[in-house]
Amino acid sequence: MRVITYGTFDTLHYGHILLLNRAKAMGNYLIVGISSDEFNKSKGKIAHFDFETRKSFLESLRCVDLIIPEHHWEQKRDDIVTHKADIFTMGDDWAGKFDDLSDLCEVRYLSRTPNVSSTLLRGHL
Ligand code: CTP
């Protein structure tokens, strides 16, 4: 089974790793879409690390098989088809937000790890 998930994954932290490990455990191939710097800017979000650095951190994780850039909100449907994803998963801060993708693949939300976030870490950096 092929699993796909998305995020900014800035200041890579244990909440991200727990999410990614659980996502990988749903299948055997994990695709991670990372927000491009331009996409973050359009959302009013400024990451501490740029796209290439965030990508290089995720590449060092054994559970991640493929990393793709996310340029805009509407590309998920195409990505699911192109990369033959069977499962789309996100943390439950997004619960219900991507249910419309369920005509293409299974949509699952995972419980978010409490007390850690990139926003919190950025505040300390
Ligand atoms: N995530 C999680 N537990 C956390 C933080 C994030 O499970 N404590 C999950 C999110 O639900 C999402 C993925 O990790 O599925 C990527 O989230 P991202 O938005 O990049 O991380 P955050 O730490 O939430 O970043 P921010 O504070 O900028 O929103």
Side-chain angles (χ1 to χ4, degrees):
M1 295 277 255
R2 294 165 66 88
V3 183
I4 192 163
T5 192
Y6 290 84
T8 299
F9 298 99
D10 190 26
T11 63
L12 190 64
H13 58 68
Y14 63 92
H16 293 145
I17 296 187
L18 290 170
L19 182 287
L20 293 169
N21 278 334
R22 283 180 293 161
K24 176 64 174 270
M26 291 176 183
N28 51 20
Y29 192 87
L30 178 62
I31 303 146
V32 183
I34 322 182
S35 309
S36 68
D37 295 328
E38 294 71 27
F39 185 37
N40 277 335
K41 209 179 286 173
S42 76
K43 291 187 277 186
K45 191 171 189 170
I46 299 169
H48 186 78
F49 292 105
D50 66 12
F51 175 84
E52 287 303 331
T53 308
R54 289 182 280 120
K55 179 169 179 260
S56 72
F57 292 162
L58 283 182
E59 276 167 349
S60 62
L61 299 181
R62 235 183 331 221
C63 62
V64 176
D65 296 289
L66 177 68
I67 296 170
I68 57 172
E70 183 181 25
H71 297 294
H72 54 84
W73 291 107
E74 291 76 31
Q75 77 180 65
K76 292 186 178 72
R77 297 189 74 83
D78 285 345
D79 291 345
I80 289 166
V81 173
T82 304
H83 297 288
K84 299 182 169 55
D86 303 291
I87 301 170
F88 171 95
T89 190
M90 290 292 287
D92 60 7
D93 42 325
W94 294 96
K97 298 266 167 39
F98 296 108
D99 290 355
D100 59 302
L101 300 174
S102 56
D103 60 327
L104 294 175
C105 65
E106 196 182 325
V107 177
R108 292 193 206 170
Y109 302 99
L110 287 168
S111 57
R112 193 181 152 91
T113 302
N115 305 325
V116 63
S117 73
S118 302
T119 303
L120 188 75
L121 293 171
R122 277 194 295 267
H124 286 283
L125 288 169

